Amino acid sequence: MLPYSVLDLAPVCQGSDTRQAFANSLDLARHAEALGYTRYWLAEHHNMPGIASAATAVLIGHIAGGTSRIRVGAGGIMLPNHAPLQVAEQFGTLASLYPGRIDLGLGRAPGTDHATARALRRYYDGADSFPQDVAELLHYFEPAQPQQAVRAVPGAGLDVPVWLLGSSLFSARLSAAMGLPFAFASHFAPDAMDEALTLYRRDFQPSARLQAPHAMLALNVVAAADSAQARRLFTTQQQAFVNLRRGRPGLIPPPIDDIESFWTPLEKAGVAQALACAVVGDPGEVAEGIAAFVARHRPDELMVTANIFEHAARLRSFELAAQALESLR
């Protein structure tokens, strides 16, 4: 019974605005809940016009308040941008409002450019203390002791599942050493995926939070009625990656008929490498592609993401993906 979930960035499309992006995210979350998705995660990014999930904890509250059963969380909070105590308080608040439904995924990347990272961190120099910050954050979720000088209120004593996220061996090692679930960013940085999974499962140390390794992989899935339509929808994501690499991140672009005229051969190769973990096609192709990915990598969970311009087409893609995933059960 492979659990499957949604990763969302609250995309802001050309011709639209953040208000509509938030409405679309809530609509997608309700759709995912009805379709049987386990989690709905939002990711922290900053200074990117096409991504509206910068205030991640606030948006999680909006989504959780508009749904009833699906787990809602961060995939993730970029911990170097925050004080661990503040994160514990934010997610302690969310867990108090929506008990049993809040997840906290942590990353050590800035989620933005260097100038914005400096603006966010102010007096913070980098992510070198990430392991210590994770340990401090976990401590705030433990029951408070009588003489404890600093405690998270709310937060102390609450059950908030904490995941570590990453696209390298660093987070795999740390997740294994700390006995935490691990989510790999295979949807945009798949190069170290197999090695990271092997390392995590081999070196995992049981903890009070988790007794056995639990790994989740992310997969781009764009599904439509026919292959040509799906490939056209996928050009939105391809263009967005090229624009980011060109240093011109903007609003999410509409799909185009001829992607070959948009990019250079070098850009095409870079996108192909970054988005290698993608299943694009009609319902049959998507079912086969997801089944092959799961059979090869054996994740404990699968997180589906789709950067599709038209909201109705995005809803339909997640519906077809859910049908394909149900066939694996």
Side-chain angles (χ1 to χ4, degrees), residues 238-239 242 246 258-269 271-272:
Q238 293 168 322
Q239 291 176 81
V242 171
R246 290 174 178 174
D258 183 15
I259 188 66
E260 299 300 330
S261 65
F262 177 78
W263 53 23
T264 68
L266 185 60
E267 289 171 337
K268 179 180 179 180
V271 172

Side-chain angles (χ1 to χ4, degrees), residues 4 10 28 33 57 77 108 136 160 194 196 265 301:
Y4 50 90
L28 177 58
E33 183 173 69
I77 292 293
R108 70 184 184 107
E136 180 183 345
V160 180
D194 291 328
E301 290 196 36

Side-chain angles (χ1 to χ4, degrees), residues 73-100:
I77 292 293
M78 301 299 105
L79 190 54
N81 297 339
H82 310 274
L85 176 61
Q86 291 176 312
V87 176
E89 291 168 341
Q90 290 168 2
F91 280 79
T93 299
L94 289 167
S96 297
L97 289 169
Y98 310 104

Side-chain angles (χ1 to χ4, degrees), residues 24 27 31 308-319:
N24 289 346
D27 189 44
H31 190 61
I308 296 174
F309 181 80
E310 296 176 5
H311 182 59
R314 194 171 187 228
L315 293 177
R316 181 56 175 160
S317 180
F318 276 103
E319 183 177 350

Side-chain angles (χ1 to χ4, degrees), residues 57 70 135 162 209 222 267 319 324 329:
I70 195 168
V162 175
R209 286 181 166 268
V222 177
E267 289 171 337
E319 183 177 350
R329 295 188 166 188

Side-chain angles (χ1 to χ4, degrees), residues 39 41 71-77 79 84 87-88 91-92 95 101-107 130-131 133-142 155 158-165 171 174-176 178-183 200 204 207-210 212 214-216 301:
R39 312 175 195 276
W41 280 9
R71 298 191 65 90
V72 187
I77 292 293
L79 190 54
V87 176
F91 280 79
R101 295 184 56 211
I102 300 299
D103 298 326
L104 172 55
L106 301 171
F130 181 72
D133 287 345
V134 173
E136 180 183 345
L137 176 53
L138 293 176
H139 173 70
Y140 289 129
F141 287 131
E142 296 173 0
L158 295 181
D159 179 19
V160 180
V162 175
W163 297 64
L164 293 192
L165 317 179
S171 293
L174 187 59
S175 301
M178 301 186 79
L180 295 174
F182 176 51
Y200 170 68
F204 181 85
S207 70
R209 286 181 166 268
L210 191 64
H214 190 93
M216 177 158 58
E301 290 196 36

Side-chain angles (χ1 to χ4, degrees), residues 187-267:
H187 61 302
F188 72 88
D191 290 353
M193 175 175 57
D194 291 328
E195 188 177 358
L197 282 180
T198 298
L199 187 154
Y200 170 68
R201 287 167 171 160
R202 182 194 69 203
D203 296 345
F204 181 85
Q205 298 295 313
S207 70
R209 286 181 166 268
L210 191 64
Q211 292 299 300
H214 190 93
M216 177 158 58
L217 298 179
L219 181 66
N220 296 286
V221 178
V222 177
D226 61 71
S227 299
Q229 182 183 357
R231 289 193 299 271
R232 184 176 186 274
L233 294 176
F234 192 48
T235 63
T236 288
Q237 177 75 343
Q238 293 168 322
Q239 291 176 81
F241 260 80
V242 171
N243 289 337
L244 184 62
R245 299 286 174 86
R246 290 174 178 174
R248 298 197 297 267
L251 301 180
I252 303 303
I256 55 178
D257 294 325
D258 183 15
I259 188 66
E260 299 300 330
S261 65
F262 177 78
W263 53 23
T264 68
L266 185 60
E267 289 171 337

